[in-house]
Amino acid sequence: WVLLTAAAFVRLDTPAGMLRDQWSPGFVRLADFFTQFGLGGWYLIPPALLLVAANLTDWRSLSRRSLMLAYNWTCLAFLVLSAVGLSGLTVNVLKYAIGRARPLYFQDFGVLALHPFAFDARFAGFPSGHATTMGAVFGVLLLLFPRRWYIALAVTACIASTRVFVGAHYPSDTVAGFGL
């Protein structure tokens, strides 16, 4: 992932910065719709609610079949919550520590403008949080459906890449985030 991130930085970031405002409005609206699926809330809130419900359940009163079902869903909820939550915490620490300017400021700062610990959303571009969420979702899907990895990779990578088309991140930001 480090090599892919470096290759994206060298070959794609500058062209993406120059093309930021040149995508067709219809394509940007479509990308904006799909980029919403990269928000962590889609993957954090349902498992958290499921874990709350599991803690409120009287497990001793469940039948053997219901107990196994509740146990399996609780384990899955914890896996998703851990994967998305821990990667989300990590990416937020990294992006503010690195402080890379977003493509919106390409004309002002260029492709490699770093303002570490600025704690300003303008300088929280690297790595992409949406792409990190999609990478975590891919990891969970890979564990659940190992024979269908290519479908999971295609869907999650496409959703992660929408961040480039809406102008929120450079390609290297999304590659690094997805790999994280």
Side-chain angles (χ1 to χ4, degrees), residues 3 7 41 61 78 84 90-91 95-96 116 124 130 159 164 168 171 174 178:
L3 291 176
S61 68
F78 186 75
V84 175
T90 304
V91 77
K95 68 174 26 192
Y96 286 105
H130 282 69
I159 292 171
V164 174
T174 59
F178 195 86

Side-chain angles (χ1 to χ4, degrees), residues 130-151:
H130 282 69
T132 301
T133 298
M134 288 291 85
V137 169
F138 171 66
V140 170
L141 291 173
L142 185 64
L143 290 173
L144 294 175
F145 308 105
R147 291 186 179 167
R148 302 288 188 243
W149 66 269
Y150 51 91
I151 296 170

Side-chain angles (χ1 to χ4, degrees), residues 5 9 25 28 43 105 130 132 149 161 179:
T5 301
F9 174 76
V28 172
Y43 311 99
Y105 307 102
H130 282 69
T132 301
W149 66 269
S161 70

Side-chain angles (χ1 to χ4, degrees), residues 6 13 24 30 39 60 95 99 119 128 131 149-150 159-160 174 176:
D13 283 4
S24 74
L30 184 66
L39 289 170
R60 293 171 294 187
K95 68 174 26 192
F119 297 105
S128 165
W149 66 269
Y150 51 91
I159 292 171
T174 59

Side-chain angles (χ1 to χ4, degrees), residues 15-137:
M18 290 188 285
L19 290 172
R20 190 183 61 79
D21 291 326
Q22 297 179 10
W23 302 108
S24 74
F27 180 70
V28 172
R29 277 193 302 276
L30 184 66
D32 191 45
F33 172 77
F34 282 107
T35 202
Q36 300 305 314
F37 293 103
L39 289 170
W42 289 102
Y43 311 99
L44 293 173
I45 295 170
L49 292 174
L50 188 64
L51 289 174
V52 168
N55 280 314
L56 296 174
T57 300
D58 181 14
W59 289 65
R60 293 171 294 187
S61 68
L62 297 176
S63 68
R64 183 177 172 96
R65 181 179 170 93
S66 296
L67 185 63
M68 287 308 297
L69 187 64
Y71 176 77
N72 287 339
W73 278 103
T74 302
C75 289
L76 178 62
F78 186 75
L79 172 67
V80 172
L81 193 64
S82 298
V84 175
L86 292 176
S87 65
L89 288 173
T90 304
V91 77
N92 279 307
V93 169
L94 283 174
K95 68 174 26 192
Y96 286 105
I98 294 169
R100 184 179 188 193
R102 292 181 181 270
L104 180 62
Y105 307 102
F106 175 75
Q107 298 299 330
D108 298 330
F109 300 114
V111 75
L112 187 60
L114 302 178
H115 294 85
F117 302 106
F119 297 105
D120 184 345
R122 296 178 303 163
F123 303 105
F126 183 88
S128 165
H130 282 69
T132 301
T133 298
M134 288 291 85
V137 169

